[in-house]
């Protein structure tokens, strides 16, 4: 999860409250902090599952930041932080989970965290099992950016590491083709969640990486990407 607020004292306060919540509930929390919306969105980390986002920030305010996030990520939960209740209604156009008025009390934070974790338990992340000589690895699909052929095997690029798989590309495509993945090239299967844009025979991911698009697969790939983006709007 992430905290994005330009008040260092408040960031420290919220971090301490989250540490208290983690200790009391036995929940493991990984917290990243950002002092401005631009720092949060460039580069954006799509593995973040919850963002505490201050509305009133100097360089890039919370509403503009949320708009940018929603262009890249339709799933992350956003809780707006504000000192003025009038801003809360504006935040809902960006599918805000909720808003919290400052100053923040622990009982309010606990209620929001309890609801967030309850929702996550009801909606488990789909995953794929990647097996190799090192063992079997359970990889959440949202963490799998793309798969490429590599020395007669496959190399799976995840958020944490790159993993060798001994399955064929056809097998991976059959397993993931209805889960938001598409073949852009004979040697590449990409998670459409990460695609930022397409230019001629190349696509760009939100991570900044570029992948080739083969001419024979371009038409079908663009149709799949258009359908995916349409579903996300």
């Amino acid at each position: 999860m992430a905290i994005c607020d330009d008040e260092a004292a408040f960031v420290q306060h919220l971090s301490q409250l989250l540490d208290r919540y983690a200790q009391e509930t036995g929940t493991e929390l990984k917290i990243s902090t950002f002092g401005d919306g631009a720092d949060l969105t460039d580069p954006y980390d799509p593995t973040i599952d919850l963002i505490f986002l201050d509305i009133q920030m100097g360089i890039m305010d919370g509403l503009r930041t949320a708009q940018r996030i929603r262009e890249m990520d339709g799933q992350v939960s956003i809780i707006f932080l504000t000192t003025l209740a009038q801003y809360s209604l504006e935040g809902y156009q960006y599918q805000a989970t909720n808003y919290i008025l400052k100053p923040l009390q622990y009982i309010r934070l606990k209620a929001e965290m309890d609801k967030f974790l309850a929702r996550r338990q009801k909606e488990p992340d789909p995953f794929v099992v990647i097996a190799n000589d090192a063992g079997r690895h359970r990889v959440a699909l949202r963490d799998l950016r793309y798969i490429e052929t590599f020395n007669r095997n496959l190399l799976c690029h995840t958020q944490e590491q790159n993993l060798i798989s001994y399955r064929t590309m056809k097998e991976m495509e059959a397993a993931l083709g209805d889960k938001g993945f598409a073949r852009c090239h004979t040697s590449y299967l990409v998670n459409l969640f990460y695609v930022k844009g397409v230019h001629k025979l190349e696509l760009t991911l939100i991570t900044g990486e570029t992948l080739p698009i083969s001419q024979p697969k371009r038409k079908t790939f663009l149709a799949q990407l258009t359908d995916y983006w349409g579903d996300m709007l």
Side-chain angles (χ1 to χ4, degrees), residues 196-207:
K196 180 179 181 180
V198 173
H199 180 66
K200 295 182 179 180
L201 294 179
E202 187 176 80
L203 65 86
T204 303
L205 304 183
I206 59 177
T207 58

Side-chain angles (χ1 to χ4, degrees), residues 126-130 137-141 144 147 167 172 175-176:
F127 65 92
V128 63
V129 175
I130 298 174
H137 308 266
R138 173 172 168 153
V139 177
L141 296 189
L144 179 58
I147 301 170
R167 300 174 74 177
M172 279 296 196
L176 302 176

Side-chain angles (χ1 to χ4, degrees), residues 31-176:
I31 305 169
S32 301
T33 61
F34 303 87
D36 181 75
D39 294 333
L40 171 61
T41 58
D42 187 19
Y44 177 69
D45 179 1
T47 65
I48 294 173
D49 52 10
L50 173 62
I51 301 172
F52 291 94
L53 182 58
D54 185 33
I55 289 182
Q56 297 158 281
M57 292 185 291
I59 300 175
M60 181 186 288
D61 67 35
L63 297 179
R64 288 172 56 207
T65 301
Q67 181 181 20
R68 178 73 181 113
I69 290 170
R70 284 298 178 228
E71 292 172 356
M72 301 181 287
D73 189 344
Q75 304 299 316
V76 65
S77 296
I78 298 175
I79 297 178
F80 281 109
L81 305 166
T82 180
T83 57
L84 301 173
Q86 69 195 57
Y87 284 109
S88 62
L89 293 179
E90 295 182 56
Y92 285 117
Q93 66 181 302
Y94 304 113
Q95 296 87 51
T97 301
N98 212 332
Y99 73 94
I100 295 177
L101 288 177
K102 296 179 178 179
L104 175 60
Q105 302 297 323
Y106 178 71
I107 190 171
R108 180 77 166 87
L109 174 68
K110 183 179 185 305
E112 288 300 327
M113 289 298 299
D114 286 346
K115 288 190 290 185
F116 168 71
L117 293 175
R119 284 194 304 270
R120 284 199 60 187
Q121 290 176 355
K122 293 179 181 179
E123 303 171 359
D125 285 341
F127 65 92
V128 63
V129 175
I130 298 174
N132 53 37
D133 288 343
R136 294 168 60 84
H137 308 266
R138 173 172 168 153
V139 177
L141 296 189
R142 64 175 287 150
D143 292 339
L144 179 58
R145 301 194 307 278
Y146 64 95
I147 301 170
E148 66 174 314
T149 56
F150 180 77
N151 292 339
R152 298 185 180 181
N153 297 307
L154 300 180
L155 186 61
C156 303
H157 295 259
T158 78
Q159 291 300 102
E160 299 296 329
Q161 59 187 321
N162 296 332
L163 297 169
I164 292 290
S165 171
Y166 299 141
R167 300 174 74 177
T168 67
M169 186 65 83
K170 285 187 178 180
E171 290 173 338
M172 279 296 196
E173 185 178 15
L176 302 176

